[in-house]
Structure formats: structure tokens, C-alpha cells
Amino acid sequence: MSSPTPNSPNGIDLSRARLGILGGSGLYAMEGLEDIQELTIETPYGAPSDALRLGRIGDLEVVFLARHGRHHSHTPTEVPYQANLWALRSLGVRWILSLSAVGSLQEQVRPLDMLVPDQFIDRTQQRPLTLFGEGLVAHVAFAEPFCPALSRLLGDVAESLMPEGRKLHRGGTYLCMEGPAFSTRAESELYRSWDCQVIGMTNHTEARLAREAEIAYATLAMVTDYDCWHQEHASVTVEMVIANLQANASLAQQIVRLAAQRVEAQRPSSSAHQALRHALMTPKEHVPAATRRKLELFTAPYWGPFS
Ligand SMILES: CSC[C@H]1O[C@H](OP(=O)(O)O)[C@H](O)[C@@H]1O
Ligand SMILES: Nc1ncnc2[nH]cnc12
């Protein structure tokens, strides 16, 4: 492992780390990304959602990936989350900004507002639970599922750019549902009674695997609808989501560009960067060779290279 530097107080060298941007519904490309190379990467978990686009914002190297694919071909269940996270980490990504469409579960969180969540409730049923297994058990901490420093940076940038009359909400619980159908009214009311602020279908799975991949993760949730609970607003449709996303698209791109500049300047360290330090349960000599090889990307900082 590299020795500690002022940029890496927890012992990880962040001076050359890259920023990953995961684009969600309606966000299939990143404006302002320069010198783009398209990378087709095979991973131990199969192919990622699409080619990864490596480029630059200022002096920061940035990797963009459309989580549903650039033509929106993967359902929230089908997104190859494990492959996406492996591919990003293999390219040296240590921070992820996730851009996502969400429905609002609370009156004060209005369509066209944005929210930087700090918690999740997971209601998915058919998602990968881990990057590990096959003879190597890992239990990472996930009480704080989002990186506080990266979320603060993102919230500060978003707040500074929000137009009059639209609000940036800091904190709140993102309810992650399986989909692809939207919720029933009874479900929507249940999640409201749990004091969830927003609902989506992708971010919990991604954040959990990002933690295992030791990548700091923060979300810019773009509110597109009031789901189906609001008496005075029509229930969510894809048409409604896309219309409101389009209305927010250039603002979202602006927020990401400015956030990337701040990441470049601050290179924030995160406890996520050391999530595996006390999480690897299986003694390395008891891990099957094929699994050691498959998971070397994640274990090498602790166990050294596997030859
Ligand atoms: C098109 S509405 C439902 C769809 O939108 C959200 O996608 P993402 O999180 O990738 O922005 C939601 O999670 C659903 O996948
Ligand atoms: N109401 C909603 N439910 C789930 N995912 C969404 N994405 C955008 N709006 C949503």
C-alpha cells in the first residue's frame, strides 16, 4: 500500500484517483467531458452496462457510465451492478457521484427539487448482495451508506446552483424498490409512514457494492414526481419522469462539472476507502485460489498480490 501523504490521511493515495459518474434515467452522457476514450471492459462478473467513457473535467480524470446503458436497455433488476463496480474500481475510481431520478414521498420535497440522501431502506428482492462469497466472506459497515464528505461537497455545489424557487434538500431516506412497475398507493403510504423522503429503484444496490469496492458514494437525487400518494398530483408515469428530468438535465450537468472541480481540489478521504480493513472474515490461506484471483482487485491492499 502507498504511504500516507497529506492528500491521503488514511493511507490511501488519492492523488491519482479518478471520479466515477453513474448516469441514471435520462442521463446517458456527460457534457463537458473532454478527451473521451470508450473502454469496453470484461470483468469477473460479466460485462458492465455499457462501454465506460474515460475523460477529463479540468485536470481530474473522470469515468462516466450509464447504469441502464446508453439506450436504457437494462431494467433496475438487470443492471449489472457487480460488473459496473468492479470495472470502475479497476480504473482507479475512488469517488462515485450517482445521478438518479426519484419520486417524492413528502409534500415539501417538490418535483424539480433535488435531494442528497443520507440513508436507505432496501425493499429490493432480486439484487446481488455482495461482490464477495465463493469462499471469501466480507462484512462491511453500512450504517452510514453515503460518504458524508462527498455528500456535503455535492450538497454545497447543488445548493449554490439551484435556481430561485427550487430547493436542495440535505439528508433524507431513499427507499429502494425492486420495480420495474411503480409502487401501489398502499406501498407509497407505507413508505411515507416510515418517514422516507424519496423513492427509486437503483441506488441501494449500487451503494452497498461501492462500499465493498472501497469507493466513496454520494447521490444527487432529482425529484421528478410525487409517486402515487398525492391527492392533487397525478400518479407517476415515465412521461412525467422524463419531462422533469429534461427540465433539470442541464442543471444536473452543471452541478456535476462543478462538483468534479471541487473533488479535484479537495480529493476527500473517506472511511469507505478502508471499508475492507476489518471486514475480511476468511483467513486468506483458506480462500480458494480461483476466488483469490477473482477478488484480488479488492484484497490486494490488505493481502498483497496473489501470484
Ligand atoms: C424512468 S422512471 C424509473 C427509473 O428511474 C430511476 O432510475 P435511476 O435511478 O437510474 O435514475 C429509477 O430508479 C428507475 O430505475
Ligand atoms: N415514483 C418513483 N418510484 C420509483 N422510481 C422512480 N424514479 C422516478 N420516480 C420514481
Side-chain angles (χ1 to χ4, degrees):
M1 202 196 312
S2 49
S3 55
T5 70
N7 262 343
S8 55
N10 62 4
I12 310 286
D13 180 5
L14 296 172
S15 63
R16 284 192 300 274
R18 289 168 166 162
L19 172 68
I21 312 279
L22 281 164
S25 295
L27 278 157
Y28 308 110
M30 176 73 235
E31 280 166 24
L33 197 58
E34 297 180 329
D35 303 333
I36 299 176
Q37 290 170 262
E38 292 228 344
L39 306 175
T40 303
I41 294 181
E42 259 311 307
T43 85
Y45 308 92
S49 299
D50 204 326
L52 288 90
R53 283 171 255 180
L54 170 62
R56 242 181 351 88
I57 296 179
D59 286 332
L60 183 69
E61 290 193 304
V62 174
V63 183
F64 178 86
L65 177 60
R67 73 164 64 84
H68 299 281
R70 71 189 67 185
H71 305 299
H72 207 120
S73 313
H74 304 287
T75 70
T77 307
E78 291 167 344
V79 169
Y81 297 97
Q82 293 163 307
N84 290 353
L85 269 300
W86 193 97
L88 288 167
R89 175 64 198 270
S90 77
L91 292 173
V93 165
R94 288 301 200 143
W95 307 278
I96 287 177
L97 298 179
S98 160
L99 303 176
S100 269
V102 294
S104 167
L105 296 168
Q106 302 297 338
E107 180 79 46
Q108 75 282 5
V109 180
R110 298 150 58 93
L112 295 180
D113 282 0
M114 296 192 187
L115 184 143
V116 177
D118 63 356
Q119 278 299 330
F120 282 117
I121 290 180
D122 180 23
R123 287 262 303 164
T124 64
Q125 298 121 19
Q126 297 179 48
R127 305 295 172 92
L129 300 173
T130 181
L131 294 164
F132 290 83
E134 297 171 23
L136 172 44
V137 178
H139 297 285
V140 292
F142 203 44
E144 293 291 346
F146 296 94
C147 171
L150 193 59
S151 296
R152 200 173 315 116
L153 179 157
L154 183 59
D156 289 348
V157 167
E159 192 164 44
S160 74
L161 295 175
M162 284 310 274
E164 191 71 29
R166 276 147 69 178
K167 193 167 159 53
L168 182 278
H169 304 261
R170 290 173 192 259
T173 299
Y174 175 122
L175 187 296
C176 194
M177 59 176 289
E178 185 65 54
F182 293 113
S183 305
T184 64
R185 188 159 297 116
E187 287 164 339
S188 200
E189 289 294 1
L190 177 66
Y191 307 148
R192 278 166 51 68
S193 78
W194 291 348
D195 199 29
C196 296
Q197 272 67 46
V198 293
I199 183 164
M201 303 181 188
T202 57
N203 277 215
H204 179 271
T205 315
E206 212 164 72
R208 178 168 57 200
L209 300 180
R211 178 60 53 84
E212 289 190 344
E214 298 193 312
I215 302 175
Y217 186 94
T219 292
L220 184 65
M222 290 173 282
V223 182
T224 53
D225 56 88
Y226 271 121
D227 200 36
C228 59
W229 59 271
H230 202 297
Q231 309 268 344
E232 287 141 38
H233 290 261
S235 295
V236 56
T237 60
V238 162
E239 200 184 4
M240 193 186 285
V241 171
I242 297 304
N244 279 336
L245 274 176
Q246 276 168 1
N248 252 341
S250 80
L251 177 59
Q253 301 266 5
Q254 246 183 299
I255 292 170
V256 172
R257 282 198 298 277
L258 187 52
Q261 288 165 19
R262 299 262 172 99
V263 168
E264 187 203 336
Q266 296 175 19
R267 296 191 172 264
S269 67
S270 172
S271 59
H273 296 147
Q274 300 215 329
L276 294 175
R277 181 164 293 285
H278 303 294
L280 299 171
M281 291 292 293
T282 317
K284 66 178 175 187
E285 55 282 8
H286 291 284
V287 176
T291 303
R292 282 291 308 267
R293 212 165 291 118
K294 175 180 175 186
L295 296 170
E296 189 184 1
L297 178 65
F298 309 123
T299 57
Y302 304 100
W303 291 352
F306 180 63
S307 45

